[in-house]
Amino acid sequence: VLLAAFLCRLQQGLGFVGLASAPSFGRWMLYAAGAVLVAKLAMIELAGGMGYNQADASWTGACRTPWNTGFWSGGSSSGPGAATAAGCVAFSIGSETSGSIITPAAFCGLSGLRPTYGAVSRHGAMALSWTLDKLGPMCRSALDAGLVLAAVAGRDPLDPTSRASERLPRYSKEGRLLNPRRERRRLRVGVLKDSYEKAQPEVNKNFLASLEVLKRFADVEMDVKLPDFPYGPSVGTIVDAEGASAFRELIESGRVAELASPEGRVGGFAASLVTAVDYLHAMRLRAPMRRAWAEMFKQVDVLAAPSRATVSYPVDKTFDKAYPGIAATSPIGASNLVGVPAVSIPNGFGQNGLPTGIQLVGPAWGEREVPARARPVPFWRHGLAPPPRTLPRVFVACVPRRR
């Protein structure tokens, strides 16, 4: 029986901590697969939707990566990252609007899978951005991520944005992929331009070493550019407008003043001023973005980039002061806008003994490919990352020994 922890987006710290009134579709699917709910885990307040610049933007305080407890576990799915990496649970469910699975997976040395928009029902989860939110597994290996995704994915009549797809992975009881693609050519990996050159030196080194491993079974094309669109302003506008709508009552009541984050206490008021013209313009851009990305994925099978340009942030510094001068490009915002899947897998360690990661971004409904492509990448066999079942040393010291 699997031990599972589910991230339930709690409206925490504001007097009404708890789940949505109806049980989530994904929870029932995991129960049916034999999983056991053992915990509900902490996260950044309101999924970071009102803004934050520090690790303790939560009423539970700063959640820390078990690899070095002076540093953050990432957000907004902070608890799932820390608990899974520490071995407290076998896997967890995180949520992502723009980086909240990929980031804690990178900072905690996990395999985190963000699915295609609509692949997993969000019924029962707190909404931040209805057109961007996704739920996905955070696991100790890419295979585990694929197995959990197969259990929770599918059409839910209570979530009109969810849908079934024959392209989603299906596995046997032994973990064998039952519906692999029949194409037998080498994998084509496109490396995102400007994603690694200005990253931290250790992140850059580990990423380039990972590419050398990939070249053993893939054709790697360097310096692939994303289609030219205003991704940053578009995702910011959409998150602000939809988040201000989701939390309108909280904002207008003034209770945002109770948030832990100074930015969050005022961010909702600014977000409420997004105009309908700006919101609709950002939304209209998404269709041409998706078409351009579909064309890009005719040239490459997956897009590769560092999961994050730095290792985790120290809990005693604001994010903007942690690593000044790092200016690498990331596909996180853009790929969330077009709704495509990605997986972050650990590929080594950087400053202060903290994990680094590589992310592989695939085409829409390419989930059976993305985890499958990540599975045979044995970075740990080449000394770049710990074996999937390795526990951080700080937690190994706390585990009672059998007498």
Side-chain angles (χ1 to χ4, degrees):
V1 177
L2 294 175
L3 294 179
F6 311 95
L7 169 63
C8 298
R9 281 188 149 171
L10 303 182
Q11 300 184 27
Q12 54 184 341
L14 298 171
F16 40 90
V17 179
L19 301 175
S21 58
S24 72
F25 176 78
R27 191 194 313 174
W28 287 118
M29 297 294 284
L30 285 167
Y31 280 153
V36 177
L37 172 63
V38 296
K40 298 170 187 176
L41 299 163
M43 62 178 293
I44 294 296
E45 56 193 6
L46 305 181
M50 299 297 100
Y52 66 107
N53 189 38
Q54 55 284 317
D56 63 352
S58 170
W59 274 40
T60 55
C63 191
R64 301 160 189 259
T65 174
W67 292 99
N68 185 331
T69 54
F71 292 78
W72 187 40
S73 63
S76 62
S77 304
S78 308
T84 307
C88 298
V89 293
F91 66 89
S92 56
I93 300 295
S95 61
E96 174 152 328
T97 304
S98 186
S100 296
I101 290 175
I102 299 299
T103 297
F107 287 175
C108 293
L110 298 174
S111 293
L113 174 59
R114 181 194 73 226
T116 301
Y117 179 82
V120 178
S121 170
R122 299 166 301 168
H123 178 70
M126 185 199 77
L128 166 59
S129 176
W130 295 281
T131 67
L132 287 167
D133 293 343
K134 310 157 202 75
L135 303 182
M138 300 176 66
C139 305
R140 306 290 288 282
S141 72
L143 172 59
D144 287 354
L147 292 170
V148 176
L149 177 68
V152 299
R155 170 69 177 155
D156 174 11
L158 295 176
D159 180 356
T161 67
S162 67
R163 53 173 285 195
S165 173
E166 289 299 319
R167 296 173 61 186
L168 291 172
R170 292 183 289 107
Y171 292 90
S172 69
K173 292 182 179 180
E174 295 76 29
R176 179 173 57 87
L177 186 63
L178 296 175
N179 58 338
R181 289 186 62 181
R182 301 300 179 188
E183 212 168 355
R184 294 297 182 183
R185 56 173 170 75
R186 280 169 66 88
L187 176 68
R188 300 170 301 174
V189 177
V191 178
L192 179 61
K193 182 177 174 59
D194 298 327
S195 65
Y196 61 94
E197 296 93 328
K198 295 181 181 180
Q200 277 182 337
E202 297 84 358
V203 173
N204 179 291
K205 178 183 176 182
N206 292 345
F207 181 70
L208 293 177
S210 300
L211 294 182
E212 292 303 312
V213 177
L214 287 170
K215 287 177 182 177
R216 301 183 183 190
F217 61 89
D219 296 323
V220 176
E221 179 182 350
M222 302 298 290
D223 297 332
V224 172
K225 293 183 179 180
L226 295 181
D228 188 17
F229 288 95
Y231 299 110
S234 296
V235 74
T237 297
I238 293 168
V239 171
D240 281 351
E242 295 183 358
S245 176
F247 302 121
R248 182 175 181 176
E249 181 180 350
L250 188 67
I251 295 166
E252 293 182 352
S253 71
R255 295 196 68 196
V256 285
E258 300 174 35
L259 294 175
S261 165
E263 294 79 13
R265 295 170 202 154
V266 298
F269 297 105
S272 299
L273 299 178
V274 172
T275 67
V277 170
D278 288 339
Y279 174 70
L280 291 173
H281 180 68
M283 290 295 289
R284 290 178 64 190
L285 284 172
R286 296 176 78 176
M289 286 178 184
R290 291 188 188 101
R291 289 194 293 270
W293 276 62
E295 289 298 315
M296 179 182 70
F297 281 120
K298 291 180 180 178
Q299 308 303 317
V300 297
D301 297 310
V302 294
L303 190 68
S307 300
R308 295 290 304 207
T310 71
V311 294
S312 176
Y313 305 126
V315 296
D316 59 353
K317 291 184 179 180
T318 56
F319 299 156
D320 58 342
K321 292 181 171 58
Y323 304 113
I326 303 298
T329 299
S330 171
I332 287 177
S335 58
N336 272 285
L337 261 180
V338 297
V340 297
V343 63
S344 174
I345 50 178
N347 70 339
F349 292 93
Q351 296 178 16
N352 297 296
L354 293 163
T356 63
I358 179 174
Q359 61 177 308
L360 302 177
V361 183
W365 304 102
E367 279 85 350
R368 67 179 176 183
E369 288 298 298
V370 172
R373 296 302 192 184
R375 182 181 176 185
V377 186
F379 293 134
W380 61 274
R381 293 187 185 276
H382 300 273
L384 299 178
R389 306 302 173 191
T390 302
L391 287 174
R393 186 176 301 173
V394 65
F395 276 85
V396 171
C398 300
V399 175
R401 298 182 180 275
R402 289 187 179 180
R403 296 187 180 277

